[in-house]
Amino acid sequence: MAQTVEEKATAAATGASATERFQVDKTHASDTPPERVSMLARQVLEAVHATIREHQVTYAEYDALKAWLIQVGADGEWPLFLDVFVEHVVEEVANADREGSKGTIEGPFYVPDAPAFSAEATLPMRPDEKGTPMTFHGQVRAVDGTPLGGALVDIWHCDDDGFYAQFAPGIPQWNLRGRVTADENGNFTIHTIQPAPYQIPTDGATGAIIRAANWHAWRPAHLHLKVSADGHQLITTQLYFPGDPHNEDDIAAAVKAELMLDPRPSGDGVDVEYDFVLDPA
Ligand code: MBD
Ligand code: FE
């Protein structure tokens, strides 16, 4: 019983930590001109008005909406909510013209400046880290096929229980996070464990709307990556595992066919290979 309470506390802390992280890394002034702010704000508001008219929204429902919006902020869950339900379309628009590898959403759990490693690395993990051992290797190239020596592969993923270091308490700071510099041929090899499918925290305001709507809270198992090289566009992406029941109904709508791995059994674990192709800057 005590353990259940602790796990719930863990999930709530996850969403709120993402707000602090965002405020440290990403809050910056936008230079959006007033005409554009006006147009975008007006269209969003008009879509809300149209929904109210079409569905004859009541005062009770309007008050429930207000209470819920207040709670999302109080729980610190705006980064979580927005990255789960909105970011995928921003990413689609931002990267529509890219020729190289597909990107997908960053999500709320990236932390910059993870420990740095050379081209063959074992991610920081606990001595008894649970999970299937996994070796992830590949090459970083330009769109013309030139290997990008010294490219940076910044990887982060959750543990075998679906928890991210620095967002769920009790996990070593840099667990399953690292920045790996590829060798002179753009090759890298990363030893880690296979991440678990991930259920977004259900005990805060984001969970409340998921429950109220009778949706589910699952993301399929995934690796997060930022891959970059001098003179090239950074890609933020994720990689997925075939057969995961939530590849088809990811709550964050961030799965793409091009991002599917092809794991092969190897020793007591799996071996996965994926190459990244970067567009010129
Ligand atoms: C995650 O791990 C994630 O990747 C996203 C996009 C949202 C919530 C949790
Ligand atoms: Fe994630």
Side-chain angles (χ1 to χ4, degrees):
M1 276 286 109
Q3 202 165 2
T4 308
V5 171
E6 206 172 286
E7 272 175 27
K8 284 193 171 163
T10 295
T14 295
S17 307
T19 290
E20 266 172 64
R21 190 76 250 164
F22 179 83
Q23 287 168 332
V24 170
D25 295 338
K26 292 209 176 158
T27 307
H28 50 70
S30 160
D31 55 3
T32 310
E35 298 73 27
R36 185 165 165 85
V37 173
S38 174
M39 176 191 63
L40 297 176
R42 190 164 38 75
Q43 277 203 19
V44 169
L45 290 169
E46 283 172 2
V48 172
H49 303 160
T51 304
I52 294 167
R53 289 198 182 97
E54 182 180 347
H55 300 287
Q56 297 285 288
V57 169
T58 65
Y59 261 100
E61 288 166 339
Y62 176 57
D63 286 341
L65 170 65
K66 276 198 214 172
W68 179 77
L69 288 168
I70 291 165
Q71 198 59 45
V72 178
D75 290 345
E77 286 194 352
W78 278 117
L80 177 69
F81 179 83
L82 290 169
D83 292 351
V84 168
F85 292 110
V86 180
E87 189 189 352
H88 69 99
V89 187
V90 181
E91 192 281 329
E92 173 192 312
V93 169
N95 299 325
D97 296 337
R98 213 178 250 164
E99 270 183 64
S101 299
K102 288 287 180 202
T104 190
I105 65 175
E106 176 174 324
F109 301 147
Y110 176 63
V111 183
D113 305 317
F117 299 94
S118 53
E120 177 155 9
T122 300
L123 292 187
M125 64 178 90
R126 292 160 284 193
D128 54 349
E129 192 70 44
K130 262 201 304 161
T132 304
M134 181 176 76
T135 297
F136 167 44
H137 59 99
Q139 187 185 38
V140 186
R141 296 186 295 270
V143 284
D144 68 1
T146 312
L148 294 174
L152 188 66
V153 179
D154 192 345
I155 181 169
W156 70 105
H157 65 82
C158 68
D159 67 13
D160 192 53
D161 294 319
F163 291 124
Y164 284 87
Q166 300 188 42
F167 294 90
I171 299 176
Q173 184 176 22
W174 296 109
N175 214 57
L176 306 176
R177 296 175 181 271
R179 287 181 300 151
V180 178
T181 299
D183 67 16
E184 62 281 7
N185 296 313
N187 292 118
F188 63 90
T189 300
I190 298 169
H191 303 284
T192 182
I193 57 113
Q194 212 176 315
Y198 176 86
Q199 189 169 26
I200 68 163
T202 51
D203 49 330
T206 307
I209 196 162
I210 289 170
R211 259 193 317 281
N214 208 12
W215 298 338
H216 72 77
W218 290 96
R219 297 216 59 222
H222 55 279
L223 302 173
H224 288 274
L225 296 130
K226 286 179 180 284
V227 182
S228 59
D230 285 348
H232 293 78
Q233 293 178 37
L234 177 151
I235 314 184
T236 299
T237 194
Q238 298 181 33
L239 298 172
Y240 301 93
F241 298 85
D244 190 303
H246 295 293
N247 284 334
E248 273 70 52
D249 65 357
D250 177 12
I251 186 75
V255 179
K256 301 180 186 184
E258 297 88 342
L259 303 178
M260 210 51 68
L261 292 165
D262 180 17
R264 282 159 300 169
S266 166
D268 57 349
V270 294
D271 180 287
V272 294
E273 179 170 8
Y274 197 88
D275 295 345
F276 298 97
V277 177
L278 304 189
D279 283 59

